[in-house]
Amino acid sequence: MRTIGLMSGTSLDGVDAAYVETDGEHISRLGPAVTLPYDPALRRDLRLLLDRAPELSPDDPFLRHCEARLTARHAEAVAAIGLDADVVGFHGQTILHAPGGAAPRTWQIGDAATLAKRCGMTVAWDFRSADVAAGGQGAPLVPVFHAALAAPLPKPLAILNLGGVGNVTWIGPGGDLLAFDTGPANGPLDDWARRSIGADYDRDGHLTLAGQPDGAVLGRMLAHPYLAAPPPKSLDRLDFDRALREAGAGALSPADGAATLAAFCACAVAAAARHFPEPPLQWLVAGGGRRNPGLMRALQGALEAPLRPVEVAGWDGDALEAQAFGFLAARVARGLPLTYPSTTGAPRPITGGRLVGSLL
C-alpha cells in the first residue's frame, strides 16, 4: 500500500509527514518526508489546550477552532509530500492521556473526515482508544514499526525516541518486544527555555551545555514513583509538571535548570533500562532530543551501551514517527494488530484504528 503518515508530537512544534510503501508487515520503500512548523499562535493555543483539557468538552468553541487550524495544517503537510496514497495515517494532536484509573481516557484532536475530503484520500485515525478501552496504556504505538525497520540489525537493540515525552522499544534476539514511556524528555526542557530565556527550545543544547545539574533538585525529581514502576506504563505531556515544580527547579539559573532537566531525562532512561530482559548492544536515538548535544552527553554518561542517532542505521530521525503512522495506517486497513501485551499492557493483540474515505 502507498501510505502517508502524519505525526504531531507532544513538543507541539509542527506536523511531520512521510511517504511509506508497506503491507503493514514489511517496508518496501521509505519516500519523501517533510516537516511543517506550527505558527506561534497555533502552538500557543495548543499549549493552552493541554492545560485546559481535563475540563474541556468536545464541543468547546476554542477547542474546535484549534482543531480546524490543526487539521488544515495536516492537509498542507499531505499536499507537501506531493504523492497520492491509498491511506493516510492521521494521529492528530494528543491533548490528554490518562489511561489509568476508573475512567481511562486518551484524547487526540483532529478532524479525520475533513482531512479525507481535503486530501481526497482514505484516512486512518483514532489509533489509541481501542487499546485503552481494552485495558492497555494506548502508548507507545511505534514498536511494531520499529521491529519491522530494525529487522536486519543485531539484537538486543533499544530504540529511544526523545519527543516531549521519551519512549523506548527494546527488541530481543528473537524479535520479542518491550516498550513503554521512559519519562519526560524535551517537554520540560522546551518549557524551561521558554520561561527562562524566552526561546522555543534549547537550540543546539547551548543552555544545557552551559550549566551543571543540581544534585539536590535532581535527587528529588528521581524520587518520582513512575521511574521505579514496572512497564507497561505511559505518560501525559504534563504528568511531571507538578513534581518538577515541587522539586525546586524553578530556583535554578537558566543554564543549571536546563542541565538538571537533561540529567533527569537521562537518569529516567537509565532507570528504564533496568526493566529490559537483556542489556541492548546499542541505543539508537530518534526525535528532536538527539539534536541537543547536552542531552545526548547526559544520556551517554548514564547508559552503558553505545548511544547513536538513528541516522547511523540509515533512518531519518525526524521522520521516524510519521513513517510509523504510515505503517500503522496499512495495518488498520488490513485489520492487523497495532498493540500487544508487551507494548501497552493490553490483554491481547489489539487491532484498533478507524477508517474514513474510499477504502470503506
Side-chain angles (χ1 to χ4, degrees):
M1 302 182 75
R2 302 168 302 158
T3 74
I4 295 173
L6 299 169
M7 184 60 192
S8 175
T10 52
S11 290
L12 306 176
D13 46 6
V15 185
D16 298 323
Y19 179 87
V20 181
E21 293 180 3
T22 177
D23 61 359
E25 296 178 87
H26 308 92
I27 301 163
S28 55
R29 181 189 172 203
L30 296 174
V34 299
T35 296
L36 298 188
Y38 289 145
D39 64 74
L42 179 55
R43 186 175 187 183
R44 180 197 64 230
D45 288 349
L46 291 174
R47 185 61 177 78
L48 287 173
L49 281 182
L50 295 185
D51 293 328
R52 295 177 51 193
E55 292 80 38
L56 285 175
S57 68
D59 57 355
D60 180 273
F62 177 62
L63 183 148
R64 288 301 185 196
H65 179 55
C66 292
E67 185 172 56
R69 293 149 63 201
L70 176 105
T71 303
R73 195 59 168 154
H74 280 71
E76 291 168 359
V78 172
I81 289 292
L83 297 170
D84 289 333
D86 301 304
V87 60
V88 174
F90 180 34
H91 174 267
Q93 179 66 58
T94 297
I95 61 168
L96 179 68
H97 184 71
R105 186 183 183 194
T106 187
W107 190 1
Q108 289 76 41
I109 63 168
D111 188 336
T114 295
L115 183 66
K117 290 176 183 176
R118 289 193 59 164
C119 299
M121 304 177 198
T122 296
V123 172
W125 64 292
D126 191 20
F127 291 89
R128 299 186 189 273
S129 63
D131 183 85
V132 170
Q137 291 285 307
L141 291 178
V142 294
V144 67
F145 171 70
H146 286 161
L149 198 61
L153 299 181
K155 315 288 191 312
L157 171 69
I159 302 171
L160 177 65
N161 180 67
L162 296 174
V165 169
N167 59 70
V168 68
T169 301
W170 178 91
I171 309 173
D176 297 338
L177 291 177
L178 177 65
F180 52 96
D181 287 349
T182 59
N186 294 330
L189 272 168
D190 292 349
D191 293 344
W192 179 260
R194 193 172 302 113
R195 289 194 302 266
S196 63
I197 62 171
D200 285 338
Y201 62 99
D202 180 15
R203 184 181 295 274
D204 298 323
H206 291 313
L207 198 60
T208 302
L209 289 168
Q212 292 294 324
D214 184 288
V217 173
L218 180 60
R220 290 191 287 272
M221 291 177 178
L222 293 175
H224 196 287
Y226 182 88
L227 302 184
K233 54 183 180 176
S234 64
L235 289 170
D236 182 81
R237 165 73 163 74
L238 301 181
D239 273 351
F240 273 73
D241 267 21
R242 179 179 176 183
L244 296 180
R245 288 195 303 270
E246 292 177 350
L252 302 178
S253 70
D256 287 351
T260 303
L261 290 170
F264 176 63
C265 172
C267 290
V269 173
R274 294 198 287 268
H275 299 297
F276 296 165
E278 298 178 54
L281 299 175
Q282 66 172 328
W283 293 75
L284 296 178
V285 186
R290 80 193 193 288
R291 297 191 182 279
N292 184 325
L295 181 54
M296 291 293 281
R297 184 177 69 179
L299 282 161
Q300 187 60 84
L303 301 173
E304 296 180 1
L307 178 88
R308 303 181 177 96
V310 295
E311 280 76 11
V312 302
W315 306 346
D316 182 344
D318 293 324
L320 208 65
E321 285 208 310
Q323 291 168 346
F325 281 93
F327 181 84
L328 292 173
R331 292 183 73 86
V332 171
R334 293 190 57 203
L336 297 172
L338 307 183
T339 57
Y340 297 85
S342 64
T343 63
T344 66
R348 61 189 181 280
I350 301 293
T351 50
R354 290 192 274 173
L355 294 172
V356 58
S358 59
L359 282 182
L360 292 175

